[in-house]
Amino acid sequence: FVDDLKSQGAFDSDSQKEAFKMCKDMIMSMLNDAAKEAIISVHNDLDAWIDSQIENSVKVLKEVPKAA
């Protein structure tokens, strides 16, 4: 999704928000209730924890050199 939009020069702030939401929705659908409860018991806020994990992953991926 993101790569396609970037290649078209169409990756703007709205697209960024949409990509973030798509990612978060996918993560939420993959977590079962036990996993959600475990994250909440350690981090208190499931949404904030997921948001921070997505943001950190994006940051790490930006730092990885692209293959030629």
Side-chain angles (χ1 to χ4, degrees):
F1 177 77
V2 172
D3 290 339
D4 288 342
L5 289 174
K6 283 184 176 182
S7 71
Q8 299 169 15
F11 189 67
D12 57 12
S13 62
D14 288 337
S15 300
Q16 183 180 10
K17 290 174 188 173
E18 183 179 351
F20 189 93
K21 183 182 180 326
M22 289 170 59
C23 183
K24 187 170 182 176
D25 289 347
M26 185 181 296
I27 292 167
M28 290 296 285
S29 72
M30 292 168 43
L31 293 173
N32 63 27
D33 289 340
K36 290 175 184 176
E37 290 174 19
I39 293 167
I40 292 168
S41 72
V42 173
H43 300 284
N44 298 319
D45 188 334
L46 178 63
D47 286 325
W49 183 81
I50 291 173
D51 291 354
S52 69
Q53 295 305 304
I54 295 169
E55 291 168 4
N56 187 56
S57 295
V58 169
K59 180 181 175 188
V60 168
L61 288 172
K62 284 182 178 181
E63 296 171 358
V64 174
K66 294 195 179 203

